[in-house]
Amino acid sequence: MDISDNLAAANKRLKAQLCGVAIAQRNHKLHLRGTLPPRPGSGRDCPYQQRIYLGVPATLAGLRAAEREARLVAAQLINKEFEWSRYQRASSTPVGSCGDWVRKFGRWYVQVKGGREETWEGDYIKGLKHLKASATMSPTALEKAILATKPNTKSRQRACMAVGALARFAKVDFDVAPFRGSYSPRKTAVRNVPSCAVVAEYREKVVNPGWRWVYGMMATYGLRNHEVFKLDLADFPIVHIFDDTKTGSREVWPCYPEWADRWGLEKQALPDVNLKRTNSKIGHSVTEYLSPKLPFTPYDLRHAWAVRTIAFGWPDALSAQQMGHSLAVHNDTYQRWINKRDHQKVYDILMKREDRPRAP
């Protein structure tokens, strides 16, 4: 049953009566939304936007009940009589500890959904690290896990993602939206992406042949640290990334192709690294060896490749696909790092084209 028109009318009545509480629908259930006192044990001191899960269906009868409850909550707030205990039973509280549910979720994610172990360890486990294993699975326990992270950070964003996914799996009626904050990669410090000349210069300073080859591959193909150890060169200078990497199988072209030839990258020369580990640990070996020898991070070689392809006029959809991420991530992350030097390079290339339009 579509009650959207009735829901809008109910909220219009509540707003006209200055209730300060609105009704919202999620899936097939209704809940209330408003500025409410902190939940017990949340660690907060001041009221903030929260939801009250009523457990009533999204029907006309349920909507009438929700509207009555919204007026009651508004009156309680005015009289300072609001108590969360009244709504504890309305929230879904599955049987079992948080630790049990995380283990069940992990098995389902890998064995049923087909998710990668690497993603589970790198994103979900990190996002759930503040969830107390012995606590009973509940909205309160999930909220505490999120609030243990710093607001408006990548850690908070990851916690909301992981906690939200766990809540859906355990069928806990819990909304992470009010906690996400305003984190965006655009607000992080701008990287000092090395120029092509600097990239070439520091390759010559890497003495070990194996690690010099790793450096060259990352610079020429924009690879992630661990991907250097998981590729096929049968179609060189095109390289094929194996499927057991962060974003799976794909093909990458060199930028510059001159580096691929000049540096002899077709002759694979891997350093002595234990490959019977997770991708993150393999990648950390690259960081551990190369970082002390460079004025930038090894991962900046990947960023420099991305900016270089933009400066060279590669279609952003192709660059994004070769880097193994979405077009939205590509544009949001890398286009903001194009500097005056890159703009001048593209300008010079385009203005020197013989077929460019000429002034009358």
Side-chain angles (χ1 to χ4, degrees):
M1 176 185 293
D2 185 4
I3 62 166
S4 55
D5 291 341
N6 302 85
L7 178 60
N11 279 326
K12 187 175 181 179
R13 288 192 295 272
L14 292 171
K15 185 175 182 180
Q17 295 163 10
L18 303 178
C19 284
V21 179
I23 307 169
Q25 179 179 345
R26 183 183 181 192
N27 298 326
H28 303 293
K29 295 291 182 71
L30 297 175
H31 61 268
L32 304 182
R33 185 177 63 233
T35 301
L36 306 169
R39 292 177 185 268
S42 68
R44 290 210 177 191
D45 298 323
C46 301
Y48 61 102
Q49 274 285 319
Q50 297 178 77
R51 285 164 167 73
I52 297 176
Y53 298 100
L54 303 174
V56 299
T59 62
L60 292 178
L63 182 57
R64 287 193 291 270
E67 188 171 355
R68 288 195 299 270
E69 198 66 33
R71 291 194 179 92
L72 176 61
V73 169
Q76 290 174 340
L77 291 172
I78 292 172
N79 296 321
K80 301 187 184 303
E81 296 174 349
F82 179 84
E83 295 288 344
W84 275 109
S85 58
R86 173 182 170 85
Y87 301 99
Q88 292 300 321
R89 292 184 181 179
S91 297
S92 175
T93 53
V95 176
S97 69
C98 292
D100 291 337
W101 278 104
V102 169
R103 285 187 287 273
K104 291 177 187 177
F105 181 40
R107 287 195 296 270
W108 173 84
Y109 179 80
V110 175
Q111 298 173 12
V112 179
K113 186 180 180 182
R116 297 176 181 275
E117 287 273 5
E118 190 78 13
T119 304
W120 172 253
E121 293 289 338
D123 291 332
Y124 289 91
I125 289 298
K126 286 182 179 178
L128 297 169
K129 67 180 180 180
H130 294 294
L131 188 63
K132 189 175 180 181
S134 60
T136 300
M137 174 58 75
S138 66
T140 299
L142 296 177
E143 183 175 332
K144 284 183 178 180
I146 292 176
L147 293 178
T149 61
K150 187 177 179 181
N152 304 318
T153 62
K154 186 176 181 179
S155 296
R156 171 62 65 87
Q157 189 181 67
R158 178 188 283 132
C160 287
M161 181 279 297
V163 167
L166 176 62
R168 289 190 295 274
F169 176 77
K171 293 183 171 54
V172 178
D173 209 352
F174 179 71
D175 184 17
V176 301
F179 306 101
R180 284 200 182 98
S182 58
Y183 169 80
S184 168
R186 286 184 175 275
K187 294 183 178 180
T188 58
V190 175
R191 290 176 180 267
N192 182 22
V193 179
S195 67
C196 301
V198 169
V199 169
E201 175 189 350
Y202 275 87
R203 176 193 172 272
E204 302 306 315
K205 297 183 181 183
V206 180
V207 177
N208 182 287
W211 285 110
R212 191 188 308 126
W213 184 84
V214 167
Y215 180 103
M217 289 299 294
M218 292 180 65
T220 307
Y221 292 93
L223 305 176
R224 297 182 177 93
N225 294 19
H226 69 278
E227 291 173 345
V228 186
F229 299 88
K230 300 194 174 189
L231 45 80
D232 182 359
L233 302 180
D235 199 21
F236 188 86
I238 302 169
V239 301
H240 178 80
I241 310 298
F242 293 160
D243 189 56
D244 61 335
T245 49
K246 182 175 181 180
T247 49
S249 176
R250 67 184 193 278
E251 293 178 326
V252 189
W253 276 252
C255 186
Y256 299 98
E258 295 91 337
W259 283 354
D261 294 332
R262 186 186 309 156
W263 295 345
L265 298 180
E266 75 278 6
K267 299 174 183 177
Q268 192 173 37
L270 292 173
D272 185 19
V273 170
N274 178 10
L275 301 182
K276 296 180 179 179
R277 299 177 296 164
T278 64
N279 288 337
S280 61
K281 289 182 179 178
I282 293 172
H284 183 68
S285 297
V286 176
T287 303
E288 195 172 43
Y289 184 88
L290 289 179
S291 288
K293 300 171 176 56
L294 307 174
F296 48 84
T297 71
Y299 210 80
D300 283 337
L301 294 172
R302 175 171 165 84
H303 298 312
W305 185 93
V307 172
R308 194 181 314 132
T309 63
I310 296 171
F312 276 36
W314 286 25
D316 51 5
L318 297 185
S319 298
Q321 190 176 64
Q322 291 186 44
M323 295 194 78
H325 56 219
S326 70
L327 181 59
V329 168
H330 186 79
N331 290 337
D332 190 54
T333 303
Y334 296 108
Q335 288 202 7
R336 66 195 173 97
W337 292 342
I338 298 177
N339 58 26
K340 183 178 179 180
R341 176 191 69 212
D342 301 312
H343 282 284
Q344 187 65 51
K345 182 186 295 183
V346 173
Y347 178 82
D348 292 342
I349 291 172
L350 295 177
M351 291 303 102
K352 290 176 182 176
R353 282 174 46 184
E354 292 184 2
D355 62 341
R356 78 169 176 85
R358 302 292 168 174

